[in-house]
Amino acid sequence: MTDESPTAVTEAWRDYGRANLPAPLAAALSAFADQGYHGTSVREIASRAGLSVPGLYHHYPSKQSMLQGLLERTMSDLLWRTESAIAAAGDDPVDQFDAVVEALLQFHIHRREQAFIGSTEIRSLDADYRRIYTGQRRHQQTMVDEVVRAGVAAGVFVTGVPEDTGRAITTMCVGVSTWYKPDGRLSPEEIVQRFRRIARDTAGYVGPPRD
């Protein structure tokens, strides 16, 4: 039994604390972000994790398994946040659209290193896991495309190319991870507000003015 209210549960997708990665994955993330996957040695990851190389291998048997472990956590986190955002938004297509855009923006602000590695190191994945990972990314994109199509069907968006619009919006949101800085000129809230309006414009929003 839980004493959490339904509102608290449905709003959990907006809550970001520390990524809470195991030490080997936190070290791998730091090293990959600094030096790239191929520029990072297992010895470097072990040193950052405060482990010996054999000690590191006790947790993860290879550098590839660390990359896969990172990306598995990254996509699981993003997918549940996006799904939760849509569910919490209710049936209104614009509310769902705004929620998906915010979920993408918040994730790429607060998990920017993980998101950056997730976008730039796909080429470094073994072929078998790459298929799994790209399938998860397609599922994420499908959720964006569906809310755009729903808005078109409801007459609140007028884009004639919903799927291309969805990809453009996703690309815009993902790009935040490459330039956002906590001490930058825009706060996360300001970024969400500003880019949500840009996303609506991209989709051809023709409904009444909304914040």
Side-chain angles (χ1 to χ4, degrees), residues 20-53:
N20 198 29
L21 295 171
L25 291 188
L29 175 61
S30 173
F32 295 160
D34 288 345
Q35 301 164 185
Y37 176 80
H38 290 294
T40 298
S41 68
V42 171
R43 188 172 299 280
E44 169 71 13
I45 296 171
S47 175
R48 293 190 186 214
L51 296 168
S52 64
V53 171

Side-chain angles (χ1 to χ4, degrees), residues 85-86 89-100 200 210:
I86 293 171
D91 296 328
D92 182 86
V94 179
D95 288 344
Q96 289 186 355
F97 177 86
D98 286 349
V100 166
R200 286 186 196 163
R210 302 171 71 149

Side-chain angles (χ1 to χ4, degrees), residues 82-206:
T82 305
E83 290 163 355
S84 298
I86 293 171
D91 296 328
D92 182 86
V94 179
D95 288 344
Q96 289 186 355
F97 177 86
D98 286 349
V100 166
V101 170
E102 181 180 348
L104 278 167
L105 289 168
Q106 295 279 18
F107 187 84
H108 288 83
I109 289 169
H110 295 288
R111 296 286 186 264
R112 59 190 180 279
E113 281 194 340
Q114 286 175 254
F116 178 73
I117 297 303
S119 294
T120 60
E121 295 294 354
I122 297 175
R123 65 188 184 278
S124 301
L125 290 169
D126 287 349
D128 287 344
Y129 185 73
R130 188 185 303 129
R131 284 191 288 272
I132 295 171
Y133 181 69
T134 55
Q136 291 174 319
R137 288 174 68 93
R138 282 194 299 272
H139 176 51
Q140 172 67 36
Q141 184 59 54
T142 295
M143 287 190 279
V144 180
D145 296 344
E146 286 176 348
V147 297
V148 176
R149 284 196 294 266
V152 171
V156 292
F157 298 141
V158 295
T159 176
V161 284
E163 289 77 16
D164 291 338
T165 299
R167 283 191 291 272
I169 290 167
T170 296
T171 300
M172 176 185 72
C173 294
V174 169
V176 171
S177 67
T178 67
W179 57 260
Y180 170 75
K181 296 185 184 301
D183 59 352
R185 64 186 180 88
L186 295 175
S187 69
E189 294 75 18
E190 289 170 326
I191 291 171
V192 168
Q193 185 178 40
R194 183 170 298 188
F195 279 73
R196 188 168 56 201
R197 289 173 180 159
I198 295 171
R200 286 186 196 163
D201 289 344
T202 303
Y205 177 63
V206 292

